Amino acid sequence: MRGYVGLVLGLALGLTACGPNNNTTKNQQSGGDIRPMVSASGETTLRRANSAEPDSLDPHYTTSQQEDNIVGDILLGLTTNGPDARPIPGAAERWETSADGKVWTFHLRDHQWSDGTPVTAQDFIYSWRRILDPKTAAAYASILYVFKNAEAVNAGKMPVEKLGVRAIDDKTIEITLENPAAYLPELMMHMTAFPVPRQAIEAKGKEWSKPGNFVGNGPYTLAEWIPNDHITLKKNPKFYDAANVRIGNVIYYPTSIPEAALKRFRAGELDVLDGVPATQIAWVKANLGGMFKVEPFLATGFYDINTSKKPLDDVRIRQALNLTYDRDTIAYKLLPYGEPPSYSVVPPGVANYPQGVSLDFKDLPYQDRVKRAQDLMRQAGYGPDKHLRLEFSTSPSDDARRVAAAAQQMWAAAYIDVEIRQLESKSYSANLSTGNYDVAAYAWLGDFNDARNFLFLFLSNNDLNYARYKNPAFDALIRQSDQEKDLTKRGTILAQAEALMLKDSPAIPTRFQVTTNVVRPYIRGWVTNIMDKNRTRWLSIDTSAPTQ
């Protein structure tokens, strides 16, 4: 899942290193003595920070974590995230798999859309055909290419009716896969696999996912969307498990400025903060330690290099950018998150994947890396008297600016002069999609625990391949891994693909990420997990709990 540039978006509003604020009380400065939001009738409201304004709430046009946070509260896939984010039965109450692992049969539970219409197997078939229809132009359609014929359908080479899914009856769905995929239950809880309401789409078109029109099958429904201010969800009384949904409302605030978001948290305007700026980590640990939730994250940060633009189509220049980026210094000295530097794209600990795949210079002293980079740049026609000029795109946060400035100095050692461009979310996304960039900060949040979910970003036919990387040998290895049933052998093939891609350097791995949430002590049910997902359905607010 796309993460916007790896550092939370932010426009600095000048919060200092957490000295006293003249407009807050002492208790507010420490985040204590803050009361939950409760109506006169006792209905609770959860106020959640959300790193950026969503582009859409139609799951066929969403790609990012901030969108998934909301969509996962209002729509329900065949499986869903449990309290610890692991897959549990969702719209389907059970399923079976064929002996060869290629045919899965899901049995739907009796439940309704929020307009009272029954949810049927045909709704899922309609939804999957819609997202894979090339007319939809869904950027994330490739995540479902494991479905039989999905890639051909998405390319317009087959009609949508040829997609390997069918409704056996109103409550039974059969999915045929291109190859065995033990991770399918994890994939089915991803937003691309969510059902969408055909009746609402046919009545309202693209406006179906707006307030007043929205129809969903999740625990909440869309009540209000004030752009760039907040999105309010209300408990869905039609949800099959509504009796166990304990929070009445949830408000998502697009807190694209991490420094300002922390200020709002301290002032009591937020119950959950989804990221902490680097300059404030020490203060947060000292003053909000009990609320600070840190966990290794199934996510990796990297910089995409636009291989379709000259002279970045020259592998020597891309390798020089990689060599001179001192990820160890940035991870250990500039950023205090405890995120390890990365020399690969696939994070450590991914299931059924061998360790040890990395850029070949990992153990080379930094000065030797710089010398190698200089040699490569000279071979490419650059040197002390002829520098290469590039643009580096990143988010507008203070943290992003600090990291970009450090990288700027590092690249200069290899005769590369970089101009830093700090962009807002929508401009950033548009530039990545259209290739209007040279080098751009990026991050990928795993959709499921499998190396392919990270490596598929570099497949030639993937719309999410923003680096425009094309290597038929890499594509062939991924295809070969898809057909390998032995998990150990499959992991070895995927590792070969990653090693090849790293040598070609379409991206600069930067660091493996951790979650940095801050959660009020009166929030119950929060489970820190590697997916960084805590669906509101599983949370509650203890109005009798101490506030600090």
Side-chain angles (χ1 to χ4, degrees):
M1 182 181 309
R2 188 184 76 195
Y4 182 54
V5 306
L7 287 172
V8 179
L9 274 169
L11 284 171
L13 287 193
L15 185 64
T16 65
C18 286
N21 183 312
N22 293 331
N23 297 319
T24 58
T25 68
K26 182 177 180 180
N27 280 328
Q28 285 174 326
Q29 291 165 22
S30 66
D33 199 26
I34 302 298
R35 305 295 175 182
M37 190 173 177
V38 186
S39 70
S41 64
E43 186 177 65
T44 54
T45 296
L46 179 66
R47 298 162 297 181
R48 303 186 70 154
N50 200 30
S51 59
E53 176 77 4
D55 291 334
S56 174
L57 294 181
D58 181 332
H60 296 172
Y61 296 100
T62 55
T63 58
S64 66
Q65 174 84 341
Q66 63 265 18
E67 293 163 331
D68 175 77
N69 291 338
I70 301 169
V71 173
D73 273 352
I74 55 181
L75 290 170
L76 188 75
L78 293 176
T79 59
T80 189
N81 300 102
D84 61 357
R86 296 178 185 274
I88 63 170
E93 56 186 0
R94 59 187 175 86
W95 53 88
E96 303 98 35
T97 313
S98 64
D100 64 2
K102 290 186 177 182
V103 180
W104 293 63
T105 305
F106 290 86
H107 304 273
L108 296 186
R109 67 176 75 248
D110 287 325
H111 68 298
Q112 301 176 330
W113 293 103
S114 54
D115 64 358
T117 305
V119 177
T120 68
Q122 289 81 3
D123 292 325
F124 282 88
I125 306 306
Y126 166 80
S127 302
W128 296 330
R129 287 176 174 175
R130 178 179 183 255
I131 191 173
L132 286 160
D133 189 330
K135 295 177 183 177
T136 303
Y140 220 166
S142 59
I143 199 76
L144 298 179
Y145 280 4
V146 70
F147 286 6
K148 184 72 174 179
N149 297 332
E151 185 173 353
V153 168
N154 194 228
K157 297 177 180 178
M158 285 187 178
V160 294
E161 291 78 16
K162 292 293 185 180
L163 185 64
V165 296
R166 70 185 183 102
I168 295 176
D169 56 43
D170 283 352
K171 295 298 179 183
T172 312
I173 299 168
E174 182 182 88
I175 302 174
T176 302
L177 307 180
E178 288 284 354
N179 46 265
Y183 55 79
L184 193 68
E186 291 196 46
L187 182 58
M188 290 299 95
M189 64 182 181
H190 188 266
M191 56 187 173
T192 52
F194 289 172
V196 292
R198 182 171 188 166
Q199 70 276 19
I201 294 171
E202 291 180 346
K204 301 294 182 179
K206 290 185 176 181
E207 298 298 305
W208 80 270
S209 57
K210 300 293 179 65
N213 299 335
F214 182 82
V215 175
N217 69 328
Y220 292 87
T221 191
L222 179 63
E224 184 180 42
W225 186 351
I226 306 300
N228 298 305
D229 190 88
H230 69 273
I231 290 175
T232 301
L233 312 180
K234 288 189 175 294
K235 180 177 173 179
N236 176 11
K238 299 289 188 181
F239 182 57
Y240 74 88
D241 195 31
N244 292 312
V245 176
R246 289 157 290 182
I247 293 177
N249 310 286
V250 53
I251 305 175
Y252 284 93
Y253 294 95
T255 51
S256 61
I257 307 163
E259 294 80 8
L262 178 57
K263 188 175 182 179
R264 294 184 69 176
F265 185 89
R266 291 169 58 186
E269 299 174 13
L270 296 169
D271 299 311
V272 177
L273 191 63
D274 66 342
V276 177
T279 55
Q280 311 297 318
I281 290 286
W283 185 91
V284 169
K285 288 180 178 178
N287 294 276
L288 307 177
M291 306 182 206
F292 190 36
K293 314 292 184 183
V294 181
E295 175 83 5
F297 196 10
L298 191 65
T300 184
F302 54 92
Y303 299 160
D304 268 324
I305 303 173
N306 191 344
T307 65
S308 67
K309 293 183 71 172
K310 292 186 177 298
L312 295 174
D313 60 339
D314 189 329
V315 67
R316 295 171 297 187
I317 292 174
R318 301 197 301 269
Q319 289 174 344
L321 285 163
N322 241 315
L323 282 157
T324 47
Y325 182 79
D326 189 356
R327 50 195 45 81
D328 293 73
T329 293
I330 288 179
Y332 293 133
K333 295 182 179 179
L334 192 61
L335 297 175
Y337 295 116
E339 296 177 327
S342 60
Y343 289 83
S344 62
V345 170
V346 179
V350 167
N352 305 306
Y353 194 70
Q355 299 299 306
V357 180
S358 68
L359 290 161
D360 63 3
F361 58 79
K362 180 179 180 180
D363 298 324
L364 194 67
Y366 183 68
Q367 290 306 315
D368 292 341
R369 299 180 194 178
V370 172
K371 184 179 183 302
R372 185 194 288 186
Q374 291 173 337
D375 290 343
L376 288 168
M377 290 299 292
R378 288 191 182 98
Q379 293 171 25
Y382 299 90
D385 299 324
K386 183 183 178 183
H387 284 209
L388 171 63
R389 299 185 181 278
L390 298 174
E391 287 186 345
F392 176 51
S393 301
T394 190
S395 83
S397 75
D398 274 0
D399 286 353
R401 177 74 190 187
R402 291 167 62 232
V403 171
Q408 186 182 48
Q409 294 182 3
M410 295 166 185
W411 288 326
Y415 321 124
I416 301 171
D417 294 335
V418 171
E419 178 185 348
I420 299 169
R421 297 180 66 198
Q422 292 188 278
L423 301 171
E424 294 287 357
S425 176
K426 289 188 177 181
S427 297
Y428 206 99
S429 298
N431 286 357
L432 285 172
S433 298
T434 60
N436 183 25
Y437 78 96
D438 294 333
V439 181
Y442 196 63
W444 186 257
L445 287 56
D447 299 300
F448 47 89
N449 191 355
D450 191 86
R452 193 188 193 282
N453 187 236
F454 293 87
L455 298 178
F456 91 119
L457 296 171
F458 300 96
L459 285 169
S460 300
N461 64 341
N462 190 349
D463 289 340
L464 296 171
N465 179 3
Y466 298 135
R468 276 73 182 166
Y469 174 61
K470 295 184 184 301
N471 186 328
F474 174 85
D475 295 346
L477 284 167
I478 298 297
R479 288 195 298 270
Q480 182 184 348
S481 74
D482 288 341
Q483 302 304 320
E484 179 55 63
K485 296 180 181 179
D486 184 282
L487 293 179
T488 300
K489 291 180 180 178
R490 177 177 178 271
T492 299
I493 297 168
L494 288 170
Q496 292 171 359
E498 182 177 18
L500 177 60
M501 180 269 294
L502 291 172
K503 184 177 180 181
D504 289 342
S505 288
I508 303 169
T510 58
R511 66 190 189 281
F512 297 122
Q513 299 185 336
V514 297
T515 62
T516 56
N517 297 303
V518 187
V519 183
R520 296 280 179 205
Y522 50 71
I523 304 298
R524 299 288 188 249
W526 189 275
V527 180
T528 304
N529 61 79
I530 195 171
M531 298 295 292
D532 196 27
K533 292 186 190 297
N534 273 270
R535 301 299 190 196
T536 309
R537 170 188 178 184
W538 306 112
L539 304 179
S540 63
I541 296 175
D542 185 351
T543 57
S544 65
T547 57
Q548 56 180 321

